[in-house]
Amino acid sequence: GRRRRRRRRSTPDEPSPLPRRRRTHGNYDTSWARKKPARVARAAIVEGPMRLLVAGLAAPERKGTDRLLDLPDGPLIFAANHHSHLDTPLMLTSIPEPWRHKMIVGAAADYFFGTKATAAMSSLAMGAIPIERTKVERRSANLAVELIDAGWSLLIFPEGGRSPDGWGQPFRGGAAFLAAKTGVPVVPV
């Protein structure tokens, strides 16, 4: 059978060991995914297999992109409804330049950052950053604000997850909070 590891107890004079820091969920460091090699790889993924996947599974008709021309230069917050797993690839292949390749995606920390493998794939392929949706977490908001201030646009799904029944769900306050905090316009999609 399995042996149980005994936990060493500290004595009153000895400090207890620090708890292990999780490197997944909201604590996953995505900074590497915004460096040039990862950005080049992501551009190749978005313009190649991701674009082919979207075209093969849907026939998106993009209207209203001309309205983006009147917006100021710089980052934007794209807030889209969320009905399927195809929403992020659809948005990443639909948002025009100059925003498409300097985009971060707010992704559910518990789903896309649950393991190191899914966290790395999500960060590389989508430019995802972890957003805690099960609890209020200042770290998620601070990271998003910091990146928007550094010139990155954000794709966020304000419903906080995919719709269970195809109907829009009530919005959470993330997009509005980030817009107020950064002064960046929200583009409803």
Side-chain angles (χ1 to χ4, degrees):
R2 264 178 134 169
R3 281 186 173 182
R4 265 195 142 156
R5 275 176 98 170
R6 265 198 212 178
R7 208 171 181 187
R8 186 174 165 259
R9 295 184 188 251
S10 57
T11 62
D13 296 337
E14 182 182 356
S16 58
L18 292 173
R20 291 184 71 177
R21 187 169 172 223
R22 294 182 73 166
R23 297 198 183 271
T24 55
H25 292 273
N27 291 323
Y28 184 79
D29 180 13
T30 60
S31 61
W32 65 270
R34 290 180 296 281
K35 295 191 174 171
K36 189 162 185 146
R39 289 178 67 186
V40 169
R42 183 169 37 265
I45 291 167
V46 168
E47 299 303 336
M50 192 178 288
R51 188 171 292 286
L52 289 172
L53 173 78
V54 169
L57 294 175
E61 196 173 314
R62 297 161 181 99
K63 294 181 180 179
T65 55
D66 57 311
R67 295 179 185 165
L68 298 173
L69 300 174
D70 295 333
L71 293 173
D73 291 340
L76 299 174
I77 298 171
F78 293 89
N81 292 339
H82 201 11
H83 295 282
S84 82
H85 281 297
L86 192 58
D87 291 340
T88 300
L90 176 66
M91 291 302 302
L92 288 176
T93 58
S94 296
I95 293 171
E97 287 297 338
W99 304 283
R100 180 183 310 142
H101 295 298
K102 194 159 185 192
M103 174 80 54
I104 53 173
V105 177
D110 58 311
Y111 187 84
F112 290 96
F113 292 86
T115 68
K116 287 182 182 177
T118 59
M121 286 189 297
S122 300
S123 298
L124 179 62
M126 301 184 305
I129 61 168
I131 301 292
E132 292 289 349
R133 61 182 178 170
T134 56
K135 62 184 176 191
V136 176
E137 172 89 13
R138 179 171 275 164
R139 186 175 200 275
S140 296
N142 287 346
L143 177 60
V145 167
E146 179 183 309
L147 292 172
I148 292 167
D149 285 345
W152 289 84
S153 289
L154 170 69
L155 170 60
I156 192 168
F157 299 100
E159 295 166 286
R162 288 182 318 281
S163 169
D165 57 10
W167 291 94
Q169 303 300 306
F171 284 7
R172 297 181 181 186
F177 170 80
L178 293 170
K181 192 87 170 157
T182 62
V184 169
V186 175
V187 177
V189 181

